[in-house]
Amino acid sequence: MPYGYPGFPGGHQGAGAPGSQGYPGYPGYPGYQGQGPPGYGWAAMPMTPANGMGVTSLVLGIVAAAGFCLWPLAIVLGILAIIFGGIGRGRAKRGEATNPGQALAGIICGIAGIVLGVALMVVLVVMPDDAFEEDGASNDDSYSTTLVVDF
């Protein structure tokens, strides 16, 4: 048995040699039929999944939920996570992506980031400063600095 690659379908004579039929997959050879061998070529290659939107949604959602202390940024990133997650879920439904779970997790984390950011905004901005004092006492000293002498 000889070593190396197998020969052309017409035998070991080579394409275009006397008595050969040529290789049907390449133009310029005798017997070219206008198509490549079955199972080869770009038409049979499956498309790679477009998972970028789902991954982006998950990353933005995690950053929004974990970084809610920066509440303006958390709200913006949460909104972006919901938008990208919706696009990613749509791509997964059409079969263009393979990660609908990541997109859904990004939507959930984005919602959590928005809720936490809004809650922190309410605590810091909307609530009055008096709400943090314990006795309702003000910050000024009520002690008099005058000296009173009773005789």
mmCIF file with all atom_site columns, all heavy atoms in Angstrom, residues 126-147:
data_model
loop_
_atom_site.group_PDB
_atom_site.id
_atom_site.type_symbol
_atom_site.label_atom_id
_atom_site.label_alt_id
_atom_site.label_comp_id
_atom_site.label_asym_id
_atom_site.label_entity_id
_atom_site.label_seq_id
_atom_site.pdbx_PDB_ins_code
_atom_site.Cartn_x
_atom_site.Cartn_y
_atom_site.Cartn_z
_atom_site.occupancy
_atom_site.B_iso_or_equiv
_atom_site.pdbx_formal_charge
_atom_site.auth_seq_id
_atom_site.auth_comp_id
_atom_site.auth_asym_id
_atom_site.auth_atom_id
_atom_site.pdbx_PDB_model_num
ATOM 1   N N   . VAL A 1 126 ? -33.465 62.055 48.145 1.00 0.00 ? 126 VAL A N   1
ATOM 2   C CA  . VAL A 1 126 ? -34.831 62.459 48.435 1.00 0.00 ? 126 VAL A CA  1
ATOM 3   C C   . VAL A 1 126 ? -35.094 62.574 49.933 1.00 0.00 ? 126 VAL A C   1
ATOM 4   O O   . VAL A 1 126 ? -35.773 63.492 50.377 1.00 0.00 ? 126 VAL A O   1
ATOM 5   C CB  . VAL A 1 126 ? -35.828 61.475 47.768 1.00 0.00 ? 126 VAL A CB  1
ATOM 6   C CG1 . VAL A 1 126 ? -37.245 61.808 48.133 1.00 0.00 ? 126 VAL A CG1 1
ATOM 7   C CG2 . VAL A 1 126 ? -35.639 61.503 46.272 1.00 0.00 ? 126 VAL A CG2 1
ATOM 8   N N   . MET A 1 127 ? -34.569 61.660 50.721 1.00 0.00 ? 127 MET A N   1
ATOM 9   C CA  . MET A 1 127 ? -34.839 61.695 52.155 1.00 0.00 ? 127 MET A CA  1
ATOM 10  C C   . MET A 1 127 ? -34.170 62.918 52.785 1.00 0.00 ? 127 MET A C   1
ATOM 11  O O   . MET A 1 127 ? -33.032 63.243 52.458 1.00 0.00 ? 127 MET A O   1
ATOM 12  C CB  . MET A 1 127 ? -34.336 60.419 52.828 1.00 0.00 ? 127 MET A CB  1
ATOM 13  C CG  . MET A 1 127 ? -35.168 59.216 52.462 1.00 0.00 ? 127 MET A CG  1
ATOM 14  S SD  . MET A 1 127 ? -34.664 57.751 53.334 1.00 0.00 ? 127 MET A SD  1
ATOM 15  C CE  . MET A 1 127 ? -35.224 58.116 54.966 1.00 0.00 ? 127 MET A CE  1
ATOM 16  N N   . PRO A 1 128 ? -34.864 63.578 53.718 1.00 0.00 ? 128 PRO A N   1
ATOM 17  C CA  . PRO A 1 128 ? -34.256 64.754 54.352 1.00 0.00 ? 128 PRO A CA  1
ATOM 18  C C   . PRO A 1 128 ? -33.109 64.352 55.275 1.00 0.00 ? 128 PRO A C   1
ATOM 19  O O   . PRO A 1 128 ? -33.006 63.218 55.711 1.00 0.00 ? 128 PRO A O   1
ATOM 20  C CB  . PRO A 1 128 ? -35.413 65.373 55.135 1.00 0.00 ? 128 PRO A CB  1
ATOM 21  C CG  . PRO A 1 128 ? -36.378 64.257 55.336 1.00 0.00 ? 128 PRO A CG  1
ATOM 22  C CD  . PRO A 1 128 ? -36.211 63.339 54.165 1.00 0.00 ? 128 PRO A CD  1
ATOM 23  N N   . ASP A 1 129 ? -32.275 65.319 55.589 1.00 0.00 ? 129 ASP A N   1
ATOM 24  C CA  . ASP A 1 129 ? -31.123 65.055 56.444 1.00 0.00 ? 129 ASP A CA  1
ATOM 25  C C   . ASP A 1 129 ? -31.528 64.720 57.871 1.00 0.00 ? 129 ASP A C   1
ATOM 26  O O   . ASP A 1 129 ? -30.790 64.082 58.603 1.00 0.00 ? 129 ASP A O   1
ATOM 27  C CB  . ASP A 1 129 ? -30.184 66.257 56.453 1.00 0.00 ? 129 ASP A CB  1
ATOM 28  C CG  . ASP A 1 129 ? -29.517 66.461 55.113 1.00 0.00 ? 129 ASP A CG  1
ATOM 29  O OD1 . ASP A 1 129 ? -29.416 65.462 54.365 1.00 0.00 ? 129 ASP A OD1 1
ATOM 30  O OD2 . ASP A 1 129 ? -29.096 67.585 54.812 1.00 0.00 ? 129 ASP A OD2 1
ATOM 31  N N   . ASP A 1 130 ? -32.713 65.163 58.311 1.00 0.00 ? 130 ASP A N   1
ATOM 32  C CA  . ASP A 1 130 ? -33.162 64.903 59.676 1.00 0.00 ? 130 ASP A CA  1
ATOM 33  C C   . ASP A 1 130 ? -33.450 63.423 59.908 1.00 0.00 ? 130 ASP A C   1
ATOM 34  O O   . ASP A 1 130 ? -33.485 62.979 61.051 1.00 0.00 ? 130 ASP A O   1
ATOM 35  C CB  . ASP A 1 130 ? -34.443 65.682 59.979 1.00 0.00 ? 130 ASP A CB  1
ATOM 36  C CG  . ASP A 1 130 ? -34.256 67.179 59.812 1.00 0.00 ? 130 ASP A CG  1
ATOM 37  O OD1 . ASP A 1 130 ? -33.170 67.583 59.367 1.00 0.00 ? 130 ASP A OD1 1
ATOM 38  O OD2 . ASP A 1 130 ? -35.206 67.904 60.115 1.00 0.00 ? 130 ASP A OD2 1
ATOM 39  N N   . ALA A 1 131 ? -33.691 62.674 58.872 1.00 0.00 ? 131 ALA A N   1
ATOM 40  C CA  . ALA A 1 131 ? -34.085 61.274 59.025 1.00 0.00 ? 131 ALA A CA  1
ATOM 41  C C   . ALA A 1 131 ? -32.965 60.423 59.594 1.00 0.00 ? 131 ALA A C   1
ATOM 42  O O   . ALA A 1 131 ? -33.218 59.354 60.135 1.00 0.00 ? 131 ALA A O   1
ATOM 43  C CB  . ALA A 1 131 ? -34.523 60.706 57.691 1.00 0.00 ? 131 ALA A CB  1
ATOM 44  N N   . PHE A 1 132 ? -31.738 60.887 59.523 1.00 0.00 ? 132 PHE A N   1
ATOM 45  C CA  . PHE A 1 132 ? -30.617 60.089 59.993 1.00 0.00 ? 132 PHE A CA  1
ATOM 46  C C   . PHE A 1 132 ? -30.250 60.376 61.446 1.00 0.00 ? 132 PHE A C   1
ATOM 47  O O   . PHE A 1 132 ? -29.416 59.714 62.010 1.00 0.00 ? 132 PHE A O   1
ATOM 48  C CB  . PHE A 1 132 ? -29.398 60.302 59.091 1.00 0.00 ? 132 PHE A CB  1
ATOM 49  C CG  . PHE A 1 132 ? -29.608 59.779 57.709 1.00 0.00 ? 132 PHE A CG  1
ATOM 50  C CD1 . PHE A 1 132 ? -29.756 60.648 56.643 1.00 0.00 ? 132 PHE A CD1 1
ATOM 51  C CD2 . PHE A 1 132 ? -29.683 58.419 57.467 1.00 0.00 ? 132 PHE A CD2 1
ATOM 52  C CE1 . PHE A 1 132 ? -29.961 60.157 55.371 1.00 0.00 ? 132 PHE A CE1 1
ATOM 53  C CE2 . PHE A 1 132 ? -29.887 57.935 56.198 1.00 0.00 ? 132 PHE A CE2 1
ATOM 54  C CZ  . PHE A 1 132 ? -30.034 58.808 55.148 1.00 0.00 ? 132 PHE A CZ  1
ATOM 55  N N   . GLU A 1 133 ? -30.863 61.380 62.044 1.00 0.00 ? 133 GLU A N   1
ATOM 56  C CA  . GLU A 1 133 ? -30.559 61.712 63.422 1.00 0.00 ? 133 GLU A CA  1
ATOM 57  C C   . GLU A 1 133 ? -31.374 60.830 64.353 1.00 0.00 ? 133 GLU A C   1
ATOM 58  O O   . GLU A 1 133 ? -32.530 60.523 64.079 1.00 0.00 ? 133 GLU A O   1
ATOM 59  C CB  . GLU A 1 133 ? -30.827 63.186 63.673 1.00 0.00 ? 133 GLU A CB  1
ATOM 60  C CG  . GLU A 1 133 ? -29.910 64.071 62.836 1.00 0.00 ? 133 GLU A CG  1
ATOM 61  C CD  . GLU A 1 133 ? -30.228 65.541 63.002 1.00 0.00 ? 133 GLU A CD  1
ATOM 62  O OE1 . GLU A 1 133 ? -31.055 65.868 63.866 1.00 0.00 ? 133 GLU A OE1 1
ATOM 63  O OE2 . GLU A 1 133 ? -29.658 66.333 62.270 1.00 0.00 ? 133 GLU A OE2 1
ATOM 64  N N   . GLU A 1 134 ? -30.816 60.493 65.491 1.00 0.00 ? 134 GLU A N   1
ATOM 65  C CA  . GLU A 1 134 ? -31.449 59.512 66.359 1.00 0.00 ? 134 GLU A CA  1
ATOM 66  C C   . GLU A 1 134 ? -32.564 60.095 67.218 1.00 0.00 ? 134 GLU A C   1
ATOM 67  O O   . GLU A 1 134 ? -33.652 59.552 67.291 1.00 0.00 ? 134 GLU A O   1
ATOM 68  C CB  . GLU A 1 134 ? -30.394 58.867 67.249 1.00 0.00 ? 134 GLU A CB  1
ATOM 69  C CG  . GLU A 1 134 ? -29.418 58.024 66.471 1.00 0.00 ? 134 GLU A CG  1
ATOM 70  C CD  . GLU A 1 134 ? -28.383 57.391 67.370 1.00 0.00 ? 134 GLU A CD  1
ATOM 71  O OE1 . GLU A 1 134 ? -28.555 57.415 68.589 1.00 0.00 ? 134 GLU A OE1 1
ATOM 72  O OE2 . GLU A 1 134 ? -27.403 56.876 66.825 1.00 0.00 ? 134 GLU A OE2 1
ATOM 73  N N   . ASP A 1 135 ? -32.344 61.178 67.915 1.00 0.00 ? 135 ASP A N   1
ATOM 74  C CA  . ASP A 1 135 ? -33.326 61.683 68.868 1.00 0.00 ? 135 ASP A CA  1
ATOM 75  C C   . ASP A 1 135 ? -34.175 62.802 68.300 1.00 0.00 ? 135 ASP A C   1
ATOM 76  O O   . ASP A 1 135 ? -34.984 63.372 69.006 1.00 0.00 ? 135 ASP A O   1
ATOM 77  C CB  . ASP A 1 135 ? -32.636 62.228 70.123 1.00 0.00 ? 135 ASP A CB  1
ATOM 78  C CG  . ASP A 1 135 ? -31.751 61.194 70.776 1.00 0.00 ? 135 ASP A CG  1
ATOM 79  O OD1 . ASP A 1 135 ? -31.776 60.040 70.318 1.00 0.00 ? 135 ASP A OD1 1
ATOM 80  O OD2 . ASP A 1 135 ? -31.030 61.547 71.712 1.00 0.00 ? 135 ASP A OD2 1
ATOM 81  N N   . GLY A 1 136 ? -33.943 63.142 67.093 1.00 0.00 ? 136 GLY A N   1
ATOM 82  C CA  . GLY A 1 136 ? -34.629 64.290 66.549 1.00 0.00 ? 136 GLY A CA  1
ATOM 83  C C   . GLY A 1 136 ? -33.933 65.576 66.971 1.00 0.00 ? 136 GLY A C   1
ATOM 84  O O   . GLY A 1 136 ? -34.409 66.658 66.719 1.00 0.00 ? 136 GLY A O   1
ATOM 85  N N   . ALA A 1 137 ? -32.825 65.431 67.669 1.00 0.00 ? 137 ALA A N   1
ATOM 86  C CA  . ALA A 1 137 ? -32.088 66.604 68.105 1.00 0.00 ? 137 ALA A CA  1
ATOM 87  C C   . ALA A 1 137 ? -31.304 67.181 66.938 1.00 0.00 ? 137 ALA A C   1
ATOM 88  O O   . ALA A 1 137 ? -30.883 66.456 66.050 1.00 0.00 ? 137 ALA A O   1
ATOM 89  C CB  . ALA A 1 137 ? -31.129 66.238 69.229 1.00 0.00 ? 137 ALA A CB  1
ATOM 90  N N   . SER A 1 138 ? -31.121 68.466 66.991 1.00 0.00 ? 138 SER A N   1
ATOM 91  C CA  . SER A 1 138 ? -30.380 69.092 65.907 1.00 0.00 ? 138 SER A CA  1
ATOM 92  C C   . SER A 1 138 ? -28.884 68.999 66.195 1.00 0.00 ? 138 SER A C   1
ATOM 93  O O   . SER A 1 138 ? -28.458 68.601 67.267 1.00 0.00 ? 138 SER A O   1
ATOM 94  C CB  . SER A 1 138 ? -30.820 70.549 65.745 1.00 0.00 ? 138 SER A CB  1
ATOM 95  O OG  . SER A 1 138 ? -30.539 71.257 66.938 1.00 0.00 ? 138 SER A OG  1
ATOM 96  N N   . ASN A 1 139 ? -28.100 69.432 65.263 1.00 0.00 ? 139 ASN A N   1
ATOM 97  C CA  . ASN A 1 139 ? -26.655 69.340 65.404 1.00 0.00 ? 139 ASN A CA  1
ATOM 98  C C   . ASN A 1 139 ? -26.053 70.467 66.236 1.00 0.00 ? 139 ASN A C   1
ATOM 99  O O   . ASN A 1 139 ? -24.887 70.416 66.599 1.00 0.00 ? 139 ASN A O   1
ATOM 100 C CB  . ASN A 1 139 ? -25.988 69.327 64.026 1.00 0.00 ? 139 ASN A CB  1
ATOM 101 C CG  . ASN A 1 139 ? -26.207 68.022 63.299 1.00 0.00 ? 139 ASN A CG  1
ATOM 102 O OD1 . ASN A 1 139 ? -26.449 66.998 63.940 1.00 0.00 ? 139 ASN A OD1 1
ATOM 103 N ND2 . ASN A 1 139 ? -26.131 68.069 61.985 1.00 0.00 ? 139 ASN A ND2 1
ATOM 104 N N   . ASP A 1 140 ? -26.830 71.518 66.522 1.00 0.00 ? 140 ASP A N   1
ATOM 105 C CA  . ASP A 1 140 ? -26.254 72.627 67.279 1.00 0.00 ? 140 ASP A CA  1
ATOM 106 C C   . ASP A 1 140 ? -26.218 72.299 68.774 1.00 0.00 ? 140 ASP A C   1
ATOM 107 O O   . ASP A 1 140 ? -27.019 71.548 69.286 1.00 0.00 ? 140 ASP A O   1
ATOM 108 C CB  . ASP A 1 140 ? -27.029 73.916 67.014 1.00 0.00 ? 140 ASP A CB  1
ATOM 109 C CG  . ASP A 1 140 ? -28.483 73.795 67.426 1.00 0.00 ? 140 ASP A CG  1
ATOM 110 O OD1 . ASP A 1 140 ? -28.920 72.658 67.695 1.00 0.00 ? 140 ASP A OD1 1
ATOM 111 O OD2 . ASP A 1 140 ? -29.182 74.826 67.451 1.00 0.00 ? 140 ASP A OD2 1
ATOM 112 N N   . ASP A 1 141 ? -25.258 72.864 69.452 1.00 0.00 ? 141 ASP A N   1
ATOM 113 C CA  . ASP A 1 141 ? -25.130 72.632 70.891 1.00 0.00 ? 141 ASP A CA  1
ATOM 114 C C   . ASP A 1 141 ? -26.175 73.462 71.629 1.00 0.00 ? 141 ASP A C   1
ATOM 115 O O   . ASP A 1 141 ? -26.337 74.648 71.382 1.00 0.00 ? 141 ASP A O   1
ATOM 116 C CB  . ASP A 1 141 ? -23.740 73.021 71.383 1.00 0.00 ? 141 ASP A CB  1
ATOM 117 C CG  . ASP A 1 141 ? -22.685 72.069 70.868 1.00 0.00 ? 141 ASP A CG  1
ATOM 118 O OD1 . ASP A 1 141 ? -23.038 70.913 70.594 1.00 0.00 ? 141 ASP A OD1 1
ATOM 119 O OD2 . ASP A 1 141 ? -21.519 72.498 70.734 1.00 0.00 ? 141 ASP A OD2 1
ATOM 120 N N   . SER A 1 142 ? -26.877 72.867 72.549 1.00 0.00 ? 142 SER A N   1
ATOM 121 C CA  . SER A 1 142 ? -27.873 73.600 73.320 1.00 0.00 ? 142 SER A CA  1
ATOM 122 C C   . SER A 1 142 ? -27.304 74.092 74.645 1.00 0.00 ? 142 SER A C   1
ATOM 123 O O   . SER A 1 142 ? -28.019 74.641 75.456 1.00 0.00 ? 142 SER A O   1
ATOM 124 C CB  . SER A 1 142 ? -29.099 72.720 73.563 1.00 0.00 ? 142 SER A CB  1
ATOM 125 O OG  . SER A 1 142 ? -28.720 71.586 74.307 1.00 0.00 ? 142 SER A OG  1
ATOM 126 N N   . TYR A 1 143 ? -26.064 73.893 74.872 1.00 0.00 ? 143 TYR A N   1
ATOM 127 C CA  . TYR A 1 143 ? -25.431 74.332 76.128 1.00 0.00 ? 143 TYR A CA  1
ATOM 128 C C   . TYR A 1 143 ? -25.027 75.797 75.996 1.00 0.00 ? 143 TYR A C   1
ATOM 129 O O   . TYR A 1 143 ? -24.474 76.210 74.976 1.00 0.00 ? 143 TYR A O   1
ATOM 130 C CB  . TYR A 1 143 ? -24.215 73.485 76.458 1.00 0.00 ? 143 TYR A CB  1
ATOM 131 C CG  . TYR A 1 143 ? -24.568 72.036 76.667 1.00 0.00 ? 143 TYR A CG  1
ATOM 132 C CD1 . TYR A 1 143 ? -24.266 71.094 75.724 1.00 0.00 ? 143 TYR A CD1 1
ATOM 133 C CD2 . TYR A 1 143 ? -25.208 71.646 77.833 1.00 0.00 ? 143 TYR A CD2 1
ATOM 134 C CE1 . TYR A 1 143 ? -24.595 69.759 75.918 1.00 0.00 ? 143 TYR A CE1 1
ATOM 135 C CE2 . TYR A 1 143 ? -25.544 70.325 78.042 1.00 0.00 ? 143 TYR A CE2 1
ATOM 136 C CZ  . TYR A 1 143 ? -25.247 69.385 77.077 1.00 0.00 ? 143 TYR A CZ  1
ATOM 137 O OH  . TYR A 1 143 ? -25.580 68.091 77.285 1.00 0.00 ? 143 TYR A OH  1
ATOM 138 N N   . SER A 1 144 ? -25.292 76.519 77.044 1.00 0.00 ? 144 SER A N   1
ATOM 139 C CA  . SER A 1 144 ? -24.956 77.946 77.049 1.00 0.00 ? 144 SER A CA  1
ATOM 140 C C   . SER A 1 144 ? -23.508 78.106 77.488 1.00 0.00 ? 144 SER A C   1
ATOM 141 O O   . SER A 1 144 ? -23.023 77.391 78.370 1.00 0.00 ? 144 SER A O   1
ATOM 142 C CB  . SER A 1 144 ? -25.879 78.700 78.015 1.00 0.00 ? 144 SER A CB  1
ATOM 143 O OG  . SER A 1 144 ? -25.473 80.021 78.110 1.00 0.00 ? 144 SER A OG  1
ATOM 144 N N   . THR A 1 145 ? -22.863 79.046 76.894 1.00 0.00 ? 145 THR A N   1
ATOM 145 C CA  . THR A 1 145 ? -21.472 79.298 77.270 1.00 0.00 ? 145 THR A CA  1
ATOM 146 C C   . THR A 1 145 ? -21.340 80.466 78.233 1.00 0.00 ? 145 THR A C   1
ATOM 147 O O   . THR A 1 145 ? -20.242 80.887 78.545 1.00 0.00 ? 145 THR A O   1
ATOM 148 C CB  . THR A 1 145 ? -20.627 79.552 76.009 1.00 0.00 ? 145 THR A CB  1
ATOM 149 O OG1 . THR A 1 145 ? -21.189 80.645 75.310 1.00 0.00 ? 145 THR A OG1 1
ATOM 150 C CG2 . THR A 1 145 ? -20.546 78.311 75.169 1.00 0.00 ? 145 THR A CG2 1
ATOM 151 N N   . THR A 1 146 ? -22.470 80.980 78.720 1.00 0.00 ? 146 THR A N   1
ATOM 152 C CA  . THR A 1 146 ? -22.394 82.090 79.672 1.00 0.00 ? 146 THR A CA  1
ATOM 153 C C   . THR A 1 146 ? -22.275 81.545 81.088 1.00 0.00 ? 146 THR A C   1
ATOM 154 O O   . THR A 1 146 ? -22.770 80.468 81.387 1.00 0.00 ? 146 THR A O   1
ATOM 155 C CB  . THR A 1 146 ? -23.653 82.968 79.572 1.00 0.00 ? 146 THR A CB  1
ATOM 156 O OG1 . THR A 1 146 ? -24.784 82.176 79.850 1.00 0.00 ? 146 THR A OG1 1
ATOM 157 C CG2 . THR A 1 146 ? -23.743 83.608 78.217 1.00 0.00 ? 146 THR A CG2 1
ATOM 158 N N   . LEU A 1 147 ? -21.660 82.291 81.895 1.00 0.00 ? 147 LEU A N   1
ATOM 159 C CA  . LEU A 1 147 ? -21.452 81.897 83.271 1.00 0.00 ? 147 LEU A CA  1
ATOM 160 C C   . LEU A 1 147 ? -22.564 82.487 84.139 1.00 0.00 ? 147 LEU A C   1
ATOM 161 O O   . LEU A 1 147 ? -22.807 83.682 84.135 1.00 0.00 ? 147 LEU A O   1
ATOM 162 C CB  . LEU A 1 147 ? -20.093 82.386 83.764 1.00 0.00 ? 147 LEU A CB  1
ATOM 163 C CG  . LEU A 1 147 ? -19.737 82.068 85.214 1.00 0.00 ? 147 LEU A CG  1
ATOM 164 C CD1 . LEU A 1 147 ? -19.630 80.556 85.390 1.00 0.00 ? 147 LEU A CD1 1
ATOM 165 C CD2 . LEU A 1 147 ? -18.461 82.737 85.603 1.00 0.00 ? 147 LEU A CD2 1
#
